[in-house]
């Protein structure tokens, strides 16, 4: 933060409390980190303006800074004007005029920003809206559930639950979109979506090859030589499998 908080807000020492408030709002709406992700310069401007506003919005701190008793960070300095306390209590003190910032709401910064983005006007009720953010989750799905389809439940960080329908034949790494299950919208805008990326757990016997499911089935030597029938498991239950006489290993 510069030595002069007024400079951080683009103001002079004659600025009113309303001027200070407006200057901070203007910088916050253009330089807030949430509106400029990855922009270090914008973040630095915002932090400097926020520190300056924090100092100057307080009439007593502002007067003490102007009197040289504290620096721009609010730290005490060697007193240079011993009569400050008397001066602060007089009617001539411009910072005792009741100018306060109690009605300042930081959320207005973002509301104004979204209004500007949407081109809305301030008259009437809310005339802006923004879609909520998408929420992303990871979900482990058993192999057979992925093959046959099913349902899973995710417990969210806030303790609520999200029921996820697993479509039959879903592939590893595929994403399921649940519309309207993400973050809440702003100004009446629609909610975002929940995006669930699926990881399919391996099965001890089956494996997937494209749309085919492969099972290695052990048989006895006699069954291979004489031709026989065995019971083989599938996703839908057991089936009788007949294999040709003289079947070879790995066929």
């Amino acid at each position: 933060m510069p030595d002069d908080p007024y400079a951080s807000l683009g103001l002079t020492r004659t600025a009113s409390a309303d001027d200070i408030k407006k200057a901070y709002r203007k910088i916050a709406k253009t330089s807030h980190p949430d509106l400029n992700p990855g922009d270090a310069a914008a973040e630095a401007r915002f932090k400097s303006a926020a520190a300056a506003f924090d100092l100057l919005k307080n009439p007593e701190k502002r007067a003490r800074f102007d009197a040289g008793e504290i620096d721009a960070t609010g730290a005490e300095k060697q007193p240079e004007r011993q009569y400050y306390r008397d001066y602060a209590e007089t009617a001539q003190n411009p910072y005792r005029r009741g100018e306060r910032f109690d009605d300042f709401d930081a959320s207005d910064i973002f509301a104004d920003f979204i209004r500007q983005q949407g081109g809305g006007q301030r008259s009437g009720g809310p005339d802006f809206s923004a879609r909520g953010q998408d929420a992303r989750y990871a979900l482990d799905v058993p192999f057979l559930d992925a093959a046959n389809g099913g349902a899973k439940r995710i417990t969210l960080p806030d303790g609520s639950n999200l029921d996820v329908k697993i479509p039959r034949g879903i592939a590893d790494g595929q994403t399921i979109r649940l519309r309207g299950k993400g973050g809440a919208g702003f100004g009446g805008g629609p909610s975002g979506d929940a995006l669930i990326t699926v990881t399919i757990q391996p099965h001890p016997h089956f494996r997937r090859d494209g749309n085919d499911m492969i099972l290695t089935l052990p048989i006895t030597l006699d069954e291979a030589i004489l031709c026989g029938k065995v019971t083989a498991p599938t996703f839908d239950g057991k089936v009788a499998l007949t294999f040709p006489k003289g079947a070879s290993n790995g066929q």
Side-chain angles (χ1 to χ4, degrees):
M1 175 180 173
D3 291 338
D4 186 356
Y6 294 99
S8 296
L9 296 173
L11 300 172
T12 65
R13 296 194 177 216
T14 59
S16 67
D18 192 51
D19 292 335
I20 293 170
K21 180 179 177 180
K22 288 179 179 179
Y24 172 64
R25 287 169 58 91
K26 180 178 180 181
I27 295 173
K29 285 190 290 185
T30 57
S31 301
H32 195 284
D34 289 347
L35 306 178
N36 300 274
D39 188 338
E43 182 177 359
R45 285 194 301 273
F46 172 76
K47 288 182 176 179
S48 179
F53 178 69
D54 185 62
L55 178 77
L56 298 179
K57 72 179 181 179
N58 184 302
E60 183 177 354
K61 286 184 178 180
R62 180 181 179 185
R64 295 195 65 197
F65 173 78
D66 290 347
E69 293 189 355
I70 59 174
D71 62 19
T73 67
E76 295 286 341
K77 295 173 65 176
Q78 287 293 333
E80 297 176 1
R81 299 175 64 180
Q82 301 298 326
Y83 58 88
Y84 161 71
R85 292 295 181 187
D86 294 334
Y87 170 76
E89 297 300 323
T90 65
Q92 288 75 24
N93 183 354
Y95 309 125
R96 292 180 52 82
R97 297 175 183 171
E99 297 177 330
R100 297 182 59 83
F101 296 85
D102 294 343
D103 61 342
F104 180 74
D105 186 353
S107 64
D108 289 345
I109 294 170
F110 302 101
D112 287 345
F113 175 78
I114 295 176
R115 289 187 182 98
Q116 292 170 358
Q117 294 294 96
Q121 303 297 321
R122 284 186 172 272
S123 60
D127 52 4
F128 59 91
S129 64
R131 181 178 178 275
Q133 289 187 334
D134 291 337
R136 296 184 178 273
Y137 306 99
L139 179 63
D140 290 334
V141 176
F143 189 91
L144 294 182
D145 285 351
N148 293 322
K152 298 285 286 184
R153 172 168 289 183
I154 297 176
T155 300
L156 305 182
D158 63 1
S160 62
N161 294 319
L162 186 63
D163 292 320
V164 183
K165 183 178 180 180
I166 308 300
R168 182 182 177 92
I170 191 170
D172 186 68
Q174 189 171 339
T175 297
I176 300 171
R177 181 184 291 270
L178 301 182
R179 298 195 179 278
K181 298 298 184 179
F186 187 85
S191 297
D193 299 337
L195 304 176
I196 299 99
T197 301
V198 170
T199 298
I200 298 177
Q201 298 172 334
H203 192 275
H205 306 300
F206 295 105
R207 63 184 177 88
R208 181 170 180 166
D209 183 8
N211 287 330
D212 296 329
M213 298 300 173
I214 299 175
L215 167 68
T216 299
L217 182 65
I219 61 175
T220 66
L221 180 60
D222 289 343
E223 288 170 334
I225 294 174
L226 299 176
C227 175
K229 292 183 177 181
V230 295
T231 299
T234 72
F235 301 141
D236 298 322
K238 295 180 179 180
V239 298
L241 175 66
T242 301
F243 48 89
K245 182 178 180 179
S248 62
N249 188 45
Q251 184 174 339

